[in-house]
């Protein structure tokens, strides 16, 4: 079991680096370049989710035999490798064709590929209930891009920012390639992998549809202004995501009371973090980032979305652990669909406020759907535990 001191150390390092990233990137880049950098970092996040199909990988299903879950991780490593390398090739092709974002996307996919092994090793540690190892691997894949992007942002462009993330990911790279025969495993396990994959894709859409829509409708400068509010608020994920890994480890070890305490702690950290960060942005945001504005209505809408996203992650994680990631995927896809519709309806008239309201409404729908499904889902028996 992970000691409270080590956990607090991990949270302090991760939160500190997140604060550094949120502080330096807007200051060094300005609204338009910051928007491009944020979109590139979204590609890193999306591609990383294939490393173990995100936090909701089918390999975390405790109802499956141990050997099957190990094979699922091997399949996930293959899928991640194919997706990330394909992204590099496509991004370079777009860049050569004159699409500037192509080079950013190529660097982002390469960064995700270099971080994939630590995501896979973290998944294995979670399965074993090894909280120390899970936290150690999470420390690498969560924080390596942050350090590099902060250093790269002093180059003043989105490209230098992403190149910094790529260089630092390469520094921590632990070589891991798919085993021979992993392709056959992938095909045979499609019925187990597809629900987790759908959930990862829908979660990505929930996190970024509003920003992509805002950049398309209102332009990169407005999207950069919006991200200056959203990024610090979503930084609270680095407080409760480690808790979710601990919840998974406690569940796998059959520690029911610890699991419940951790769930409560994760939810409280998300809500409290949203309130604290939102208030700080409203009071001090413009003095810290003079090129950006922090209207109360935008901050309030985005803060509500961040708190609801935390609740969705905690409740949705329980659905996955109980073998209902297909249901969780459907719920999240419903939320993503609502987010897209509301973004297109609200952004033309309300701008960033509309994007925040669309996000909060979509996350609220997901939380309601997850909670309803959880009430009808019993806890599974964990093999090997009485």
């Amino acid at each position: 079991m992970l000691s409270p001191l080590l956990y607090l150390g991990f949270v302090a390092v991760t939160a500190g680096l997140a604060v550094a990233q949120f502080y330096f990137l807007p200051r060094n880049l300005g609204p338009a370049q910051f928007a491009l950098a944020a979109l590139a970092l979204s590609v890193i996040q999306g591609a990383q989710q294939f490393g173990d199909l995100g936090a909701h990988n089918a390999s975390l299903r405790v109802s499956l035999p141990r050997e099957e879950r190990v094979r699922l991780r091997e399949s996930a490593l293959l899928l991640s490798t194919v997706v990330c390398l394909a992204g590099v090739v496509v991004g370079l092709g777009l860049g050569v064709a004159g699409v500037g974002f192509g080079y950013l996307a190529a660097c982002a996919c390469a960064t995700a590929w270099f971080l994939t092994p630590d995501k896979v090793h973290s998944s294995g540690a979670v399965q074993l209930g090894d909280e120390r190892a899970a936290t150690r691997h999470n420390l690498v894949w969560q924080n390596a891009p942050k350090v590099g992007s902060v250093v790269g942002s002093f180059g003043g462009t989105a490209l230098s920012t992403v190149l910094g993330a790529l260089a630092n990911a390469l520094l921590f790279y632990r070589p891991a390639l798919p085993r021979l025969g992993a392709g056959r495993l992938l095909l045979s396990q499609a019925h187990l992998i597809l629900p987790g994959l759908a959930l990862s894709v829908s979660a990505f859409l929930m996190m970024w549809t509003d920003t992509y829509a805002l950049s398309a409708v209102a332009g990169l400068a407005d999207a950069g202004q919006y991200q200056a509010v959203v990024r610090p608020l979503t930084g609270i994920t680095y407080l409760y995501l480690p808790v979710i890994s601990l919840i998974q480890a406690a569940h796998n070890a059959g520690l029911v009371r610890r699991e419940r305490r951790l769930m409560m702690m994760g939810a409280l950290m998300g809500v409290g973090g949203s309130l604290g960060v939102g208030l700080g942005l409203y009071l001090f945001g413009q003095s810290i980032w003079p090129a950006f504005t922090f209207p109360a209505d935008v901050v309030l809408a985005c803060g509500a979305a961040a708190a609801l996203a935390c609740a969705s992650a905690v409740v949705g994680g329980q659905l996955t652990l109980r073998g209902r990631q297909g249901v969780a995927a459907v719920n999240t896809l419903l939320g993503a669909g609502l987010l897209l519709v509301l973004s297109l309806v609200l952004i033309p008239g309300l701008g960033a406020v509309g994007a925040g309201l669309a996000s909060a409404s979509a996350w609220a729908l997901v939380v309601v759907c997850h909670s309803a499904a959880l009430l009808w889902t019993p806890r599974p028996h964990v093999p090997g535990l009485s």
Side-chain angles (χ1 to χ4, degrees):
M1 186 179 296
L2 187 70
S3 73
L5 184 62
L6 286 177
Y7 173 72
L8 289 174
F10 170 71
V11 169
V13 169
T14 303
L17 290 173
V19 169
Q21 188 182 46
F22 303 146
Y23 174 77
F24 285 110
L25 264 63
R27 286 183 67 92
N28 292 341
L29 300 179
Q33 286 295 311
F34 177 56
L36 281 173
L39 294 176
L41 293 176
S42 79
V43 175
I44 295 178
Q45 176 186 327
Q48 274 186 325
Q49 288 179 305
F50 291 93
D52 65 350
L53 302 187
H56 302 87
N57 190 331
S59 67
L60 296 177
R61 292 178 58 174
V62 298
S63 58
L64 296 175
R66 171 188 172 87
E67 296 77 12
E68 184 71 13
R69 296 165 72 189
V70 172
R71 288 192 291 269
L72 279 166
R73 260 193 303 281
E74 294 177 6
S75 299
L77 178 60
L78 172 64
L79 182 61
S80 174
T81 300
V82 170
V83 169
C84 290
L85 292 183
V88 171
V89 173
V90 172
L92 290 175
L94 291 174
V96 171
V99 180
F101 189 70
Y103 292 122
L104 292 173
C107 292
C109 288
T111 301
W113 183 50
F114 290 138
L115 297 172
T116 291
D118 277 291
K119 286 219 75 173
V120 174
H121 291 313
S122 175
S123 175
V126 166
Q127 178 179 335
L128 297 173
D130 189 342
E131 296 180 357
R132 283 176 174 266
T135 302
R136 184 174 67 252
H137 293 300
N138 284 335
L139 184 68
V140 173
W141 74 260
Q142 288 186 23
N143 293 310
K146 294 191 191 71
V147 176
S149 65
V150 168
V151 174
S153 70
F154 285 91
T157 67
L159 183 58
S160 67
T161 300
V162 182
L163 284 173
L166 173 60
N168 207 47
L170 181 59
L171 180 65
F172 287 94
Y173 176 53
R174 299 180 56 179
L177 294 174
R179 297 182 184 181
L180 293 176
R184 292 190 297 273
L185 278 176
L186 182 62
L187 293 175
S188 67
Q189 297 166 340
H191 66 291
L192 296 173
I193 290 176
L194 286 177
L197 181 58
L199 191 56
S200 293
V201 172
S202 58
F204 175 81
L205 293 175
M206 285 291 295
M207 294 296 295
W208 288 99
T209 295
D210 50 350
T211 300
Y212 276 88
L214 188 61
S215 64
V217 174
L220 285 173
D222 282 8
Q225 293 279 354
Y226 180 65
Q227 277 294 303
V229 177
V230 171
R231 284 302 94 199
L233 283 165
T234 55
I236 65 170
T237 60
Y238 297 107
L239 297 178
Y240 71 78
L241 277 181
V243 179
I244 291 178
S245 290
L246 300 182
I247 291 171
Q248 293 164 344
H251 185 95
N252 289 339
L255 304 175
V256 177
R257 293 182 63 185
R258 176 171 172 78
E259 180 184 354
R260 290 173 179 169
R261 288 197 299 267
L262 288 169
M263 283 183 63
M264 182 63 68
M265 183 173 73
L268 291 175
M269 290 176 72
V271 173
S274 297
L275 290 173
V277 173
L279 183 61
L281 288 174
Y282 176 67
L283 294 176
F284 309 111
Q286 194 160 16
S287 62
I288 298 174
W289 298 283
F292 297 83
T293 59
F294 299 86
D297 49 1
V298 177
V299 173
L300 184 62
C302 294
L308 289 165
C310 169
S312 171
V314 173
V315 181
Q318 284 295 304
L319 284 176
T320 299
L321 288 171
R322 300 184 187 196
R324 301 297 300 277
Q325 55 267 67
V327 174
V330 170
N331 294 342
T332 313
L333 282 171
L334 289 174
L338 178 64
L339 176 58
L340 177 60
V341 171
L342 290 180
S343 295
L344 295 177
V345 170
L346 296 177
I347 287 175
L350 298 176
V353 178
L357 290 174
S359 180
S361 300
W363 280 117
L365 174 63
V366 175
V367 171
V368 170
C369 292
H370 279 354
S371 300
L374 189 61
L375 290 175
W376 293 94
T377 304
R379 291 179 60 88
H381 172 69
V382 180
L385 294 176
S386 57

